[in-house]
Amino acid sequence: MERYFITYSEWVNFLGKKSQQSELMAPVLSGSFLHYQKCQGEELKQVVWSQVRPVQPVKFFFFPYHEEILPGLSEQSPRVILGVTACDLAGLQVLDRIFAQSDFKDPNYQKRRERTLIISGDCYAPIDVCFCEKVGLQPYPEKGFDLNVSALEGGFLLEVGSEKGRNFLSELTGLSEASEEQLHQQAKMRNKAKETVLQFNQPFNFPSDLPNKIQPLLLAEEWKEVWQKCVQCGSCNFICPSCACFFLEDQSRGESFEKARTWDACLFPGYARMASGVSPRPHLYERYRNRLACKYVYLPGNFGLVGCTGCGRCIDGCAGRIDKRKVLTKIFGKNPNSVIYEPAKHL
Amino acid sequence: MNQPNIYEPIRATVEEVIQETPTIKTVVVVPEKPFSFLAGQFAFLTVPGVGEAPFTPSSPPSRKEKTDFTVMKTGKVTEAIHRLKSGDQVGLRGPYGRAYPLKDFEGREVLLVGGGVGLAPLRSLFYALMEQVEKYNRILFCCGAKTPDDYLYKDEVFTEWQSLCACQRLNFRLTVDKKDENWQYQEGVVTCTLDNIDFDVSTAVAAVCGPPIMMKFTTVKLLQLGFRDENIYLSMERKMYCGVGHCRHCLIGTRFVCKDGPVLTFAEIKNEPDAWA
Ligand SMILES: Cc1cc2nc3c(=O)[nH]c(=O)nc-3n(C[C@H](O)[C@H](O)[C@H](O)COP(=O)(O)OP(=O)(O)OC[C@H]3O[C@@H](n4cnc5c(N)ncnc54)[C@H](O)[C@@H]3O)c2cc1C
Ligand code: SF4
Ligand code: SF4
Ligand code: FES
């Protein structure tokens, strides 16, 4: 792994130059929250480095709320996204599996992905809803980035993750290799962040290999209680870095076939309703359970990746103030042997 | 880089529209480019300006120049399909999904159970089976509908197909929920036709298609008769938008009805909490 040190002003000046060629999106404080904003020149001084993930996940850049999909995008200008946290990289990996790495390739997603450079960043300031450590991730990126940036005293540690990332740095001559001392500083910050996440999650008790463990508990009676404050707003779906469900609408005019797509939410009653009016999940508790099952059982089954990155956005944004970690604690409080998993029960 | 857009349909022209029952029509479409499918696969039919919906073709898979879709009127898109006239332009996207594993059916007894509009995909499967009927041990086709008037493909079911039974490998059992004075077959729901089946249930396969409630009760009946979980092939219906495993609307557990189905075996779905609608 190539690791370099760059001073604060050198890096910000360099990005300033880059922002003349590409659109540069970076986390900036807006109110008391971080949001991605387009930054140019001097504005880059406002970028917040190595803090918690911004409010919106990076999926917004690759898979917008509403878009025309047929015909697809004709052009996508180059874009650089700065400060993508480890949890969001994991979410992006799920989206990659769905849209870019399966037998069918999504035209718009692929185009945007190819034209985007990802500069990830460590997270040294997790917040109380973060639980990446509980789903097998760390608060710092290990793969899936073009470059990673860790804030150190007086500058940054740059880690090259891909050829694209190396090329991005090519105009920076005379970069110095990171010193032992600087690597040590990074490791110390990373460990501290890990510990913070673990501390926030002490009250919760569920296993980290959720996919294997939760499957037999999907028919537990407890599911009929845990969802009760859900108002089916769908925020948890929309704000999630790995939720990617959508519906399609015909927009054909005249001779050509045209189509638009819009996000959908599995918490909505109409989500799975069929033409006959019946739905496989008529009860809200079934839909709530489905969302968790999708993250911890179905996505792993489909793509070998856990769907939940522990970013905590669905806890932060829940209108019913449901803390999913409490839900999991309750479900796992149940003795798995007491759930009678009877295949024909629902026949 | 310049791959075709996965959502781009092939243009097709409606050749004929046949009124099967008061609520079901068969539209015969002639695609502009070659379109072929295997029994069990499905496709999206687009009515421009209205929308698209998934259907399983009902014509013989070996007939390439035109494709039949038998469509029940239930909502926005299906109503628009019912308004189509010969010469109208539609779109066709597919085929998608997994075909019936006909190779595995060879040497075995094959049971087809269809209810109402569920006869549509089974018609296509039936023609595929008949093209190499000698390979299967025996074929029994059980059909049900509400009333005699609700039967699809009346000329075929009551006349043409009956004359094929001379080959002895083939039999039909026809029923209606409520008969009229001219009905000469059974009366009762389609599961009654499954009583006293003399199949070797340890190897026999069953393909079932119909409304959700019928699928459920037929599965229960087949299990009681001793059919193996993995030999019961169910045509699962789910809300579908993309057909390519992206939109996640059609999932039953980890299985995509659009990619792994639409026909799934009972063994594949039985452990899922919301397999049945
Ligand atoms: C694999 C498969 C094979 C099938 N084969 C056949 C067959 O051979 N014959 C047959 O008759 N039927 C078949 N069906 C059922 C058929 O697809 C439905 O009857 C059809 O989709 C109904 O469409 P509709 O537009 O008429 O219904 P509607 O329920 O009115 O839907 C109208 C449209 O509104 C939109 N819509 C509906 N609900 C929502 C929502 N919650 N959010 C956003 N948009 C929404 C959708 O675009 C939908 O197409 C099959 C289904 C599947 C899955
Ligand atoms: S399910 Fe919640 S915590 Fe998990 S990735 Fe989605 S928004 Fe984040
Ligand atoms: S955010 Fe909370 S209230 Fe809204 S749908 Fe999700 S669980 Fe229900
Ligand atoms: S129809 Fe979209 S995933 Fe199956």
Side-chain angles (χ1 to χ4, degrees):
Chain A
M1 183 81 79
E2 301 157 58
R3 284 178 288 208
Y4 305 105
F5 180 80
I6 187 164
T7 63
Y8 181 88
S9 52
E10 268 181 302
W11 180 234
V12 171
N13 285 341
F14 172 69
L15 291 178
K17 266 186 247 151
K18 286 286 184 184
S19 68
Q20 290 162 5
Q21 302 148 23
S22 309
E23 186 181 51
L24 229 133
M25 307 299 295
V28 170
L29 206 58
S30 145
S32 44
F33 297 104
L34 292 177
H35 287 267
Y36 284 107
Q37 256 172 44
K38 189 173 165 181
C39 295
Q40 256 177 325
E42 286 291 301
E43 292 163 346
L44 280 154
K45 290 192 174 139
Q46 296 167 30
V47 175
V48 177
W49 299 98
S50 294
Q51 298 293 304
V52 72
R53 86 277 178 296
V55 169
Q56 68 272 57
V58 277
K59 94 169 168 192
F60 282 56
F61 296 114
F62 300 99
F63 174 59
Y65 170 65
H66 179 84
E67 67 182 317
E68 190 154 281
I69 188 71
L70 180 70
L73 277 179
S74 48
E75 254 318 306
Q76 171 66 46
S77 44
R79 186 184 256 168
V80 178
I81 308 179
L82 289 168
V84 182
T85 49
C87 49
D88 275 9
L89 285 178
L92 197 56
Q93 219 184 350
V94 174
L95 263 57
D96 283 350
R97 293 287 167 94
I98 298 173
F99 293 122
Q101 293 165 4
S102 65
D103 342 344
F104 297 93
K105 316 275 183 250
D106 186 82
N108 287 9
Y109 184 89
Q110 243 191 338
K111 217 166 242 154
R112 294 200 180 97
R113 196 72 171 88
E114 278 160 12
R115 300 289 276 159
T116 305
L117 184 94
I118 303 269
I119 303 187
S120 57
D122 290 12
C123 162
Y124 293 154
I127 52 176
D128 59 346
V129 292
C130 296
F131 63 104
C132 52
E133 285 284 339
K134 297 284 285 176
V135 291
L137 293 173
Q138 280 90 36
Y140 48 85
E142 288 182 311
K143 55 173 191 256
F145 52 82
D146 295 309
L147 288 172
N148 184 62
V149 177
S150 317
L152 302 180
E153 262 165 57
F156 300 98
L157 202 137
L158 301 182
E159 226 163 292
V160 177
S162 75
E163 196 52 45
K164 222 161 134 184
R166 187 173 298 117
N167 289 339
F168 183 79
L169 295 183
S170 62
E171 292 149 40
L172 269 179
T173 44
L175 268 179
S176 57
E177 291 273 336
S179 69
E180 278 304 312
E181 159 59 23
Q182 284 155 346
L183 291 175
H184 182 72
Q185 219 185 95
Q186 182 203 43
K188 220 169 90 188
M189 296 301 280
R190 288 183 164 186
N191 277 333
K192 213 173 116 205
K194 266 172 93 124
E195 268 161 38
T196 313
V197 179
L198 287 173
Q199 214 152 37
F200 281 137
N201 286 283
Q202 253 169 9
F204 310 108
N205 194 9
F206 52 88
S208 59
D209 57 335
L210 276 163
N212 301 323
K213 298 274 166 61
I214 203 173
Q215 162 88 51
L217 290 167
L218 290 181
L219 287 181
E221 282 293 310
E222 278 70 8
W223 288 106
K224 295 187 179 161
E225 297 157 22
V226 293
W227 60 276
Q228 304 239 354
K229 288 184 287 175
C230 173
V231 296
Q232 15 188 348
C233 62
S235 308
C236 53
N237 292 114
F238 295 155
I239 203 71
C240 174
S242 69
C243 270
C245 290
F246 60 83
F247 62 85
L248 295 170
E249 278 169 296
D250 194 276
Q251 307 223 308
S252 301
R253 282 163 292 210
E255 282 291 279
S256 65
F257 295 108
E258 289 177 25
K259 241 181 225 310
R261 91 162 140 213
T262 310
W263 292 355
D264 205 352
C266 65
L267 262 303
F268 292 165
Y271 175 90
R273 189 166 56 219
M274 294 178 277
S276 54
V278 294
S279 163
R281 295 182 287 276
H283 302 292
L284 183 48
Y285 89 85
E286 294 167 315
R287 299 197 290 281
Y288 184 83
R289 174 182 62 194
N290 176 70
R291 179 160 190 279
L292 269 61
C294 181
K295 298 292 169 211
Y296 300 121
V297 184
Y298 308 154
L299 281 168
N302 295 147
F303 306 114
L305 292 172
V306 183
C308 173
T309 71
C311 73
R313 288 184 177 94
C314 63
I315 303 173
D316 232 355
C318 179
R321 304 188 68 83
I322 303 176
D323 189 327
K324 141 187 228 183
R325 297 168 298 181
K326 277 194 197 147
V327 169
L328 290 170
T329 304
K330 177 142 192 171
I331 297 295
F332 280 99
K334 172 108 191 167
N335 177 1
N337 301 327
S338 71
V339 181
I340 305 161
Y341 205 81
E342 209 180 319
K345 190 168 153 190
H346 40 281
L347 249 186
Chain B
M1 185 67 209
N2 261 339
Q3 300 151 336
N5 189 312
I6 52 172
Y7 293 115
E8 183 80 57
I10 311 174
R11 213 166 280 282
T13 310
V14 176
E15 186 186 83
E16 195 189 352
V17 181
I18 304 155
Q19 184 93 42
E20 302 279 359
T21 78
T23 56
I24 301 173
K25 285 184 180 181
T26 295
V27 284
V28 184
V29 304
V30 181
E32 218 169 56
K33 287 184 203 150
F35 175 85
S36 60
F37 68 97
L38 298 167
Q41 290 185 302
F42 71 98
F44 286 87
L45 202 57
T46 308
V47 183
V50 181
E52 61 177 0
F55 302 98
T56 311
S58 58
S59 47
S62 59
R63 198 186 74 196
K64 309 278 184 215
E65 67 285 3
K66 54 187 177 182
T67 310
D68 299 353
F69 292 93
T70 302
V71 176
M72 185 160 79
K73 191 155 84 173
T74 53
K76 200 175 78 177
V77 177
T78 49
E79 271 162 24
I81 292 174
H82 272 239
R83 285 195 298 271
L84 291 171
K85 288 185 287 301
S86 72
D88 283 349
Q89 293 285 307
V90 292
L92 198 55
R93 183 160 77 80
Y96 296 118
R98 195 171 63 163
Y100 284 102
L102 292 187
K103 260 249 103 8
D104 292 349
F105 290 7
E106 289 178 9
R108 307 210 214 174
E109 288 158 320
V110 184
L111 172 68
L112 310 183
V113 193
V117 74
L119 225 55
L122 294 184
R123 180 195 188 215
S124 163
L125 171 63
F126 176 71
Y127 280 118
L129 292 170
M130 290 310 286
E131 277 172 20
Q132 34 178 349
V133 66
E134 66 292 344
K135 291 199 173 148
Y136 313 102
N137 197 336
R138 240 176 344 155
I139 298 169
L140 175 61
F141 199 160
C142 297
C143 310
K146 282 204 185 89
T147 69
D149 209 27
D150 289 313
Y151 256 87
L152 305 180
Y153 323 123
K154 294 185 184 69
D155 292 343
E156 287 158 276
V157 174
F158 300 117
T159 316
E160 287 172 36
W161 293 356
Q162 299 299 326
S163 64
L164 299 172
C165 293
C167 85
Q168 306 227 328
R169 287 173 179 279
L170 173 67
N171 270 297
F172 283 87
R173 290 186 184 178
L174 309 178
T175 184
V176 285
D177 295 356
K178 187 133 188 52
K179 63 180 178 186
D180 62 13
E181 62 275 17
N182 298 322
W183 184 253
Q184 36 178 306
Y185 308 94
Q186 279 174 260
E187 185 180 33
V189 291
V190 75
T191 41
C192 348
T193 61
L194 303 177
D195 290 324
N196 57 57
I197 283 187
D198 58 347
F199 273 17
D200 173 6
V201 290
S202 65
T203 58
V205 295
V208 188
C209 187
I213 188 87
M214 170 269 181
M215 303 266 286
K216 211 149 129 175
F217 284 109
T218 305
T219 304
V220 172
K221 183 83 185 187
L222 293 172
L223 292 172
Q224 280 165 1
L225 290 169
F227 275 80
R228 298 261 168 92
D229 294 354
E230 65 275 19
N231 289 337
I232 302 176
Y233 290 84
L234 302 165
S235 295
M236 300 306 291
E237 188 182 339
R238 275 299 183 272
K239 178 128 203 106
M240 282 186 179
Y241 284 104
C242 70
V244 295
H246 290 186
C247 79
R248 297 186 79 76
H249 278 75
C250 70
L251 278 175
I252 301 181
T254 55
R255 293 199 162 74
F256 292 100
V257 172
C258 66
K259 278 174 81 177
D260 307 316
V263 178
L264 293 170
T265 67
F266 180 63
E268 290 170 316
I269 61 157
K270 66 176 187 179
N271 284 332
E272 299 308 334
D274 38 41
W276 304 99

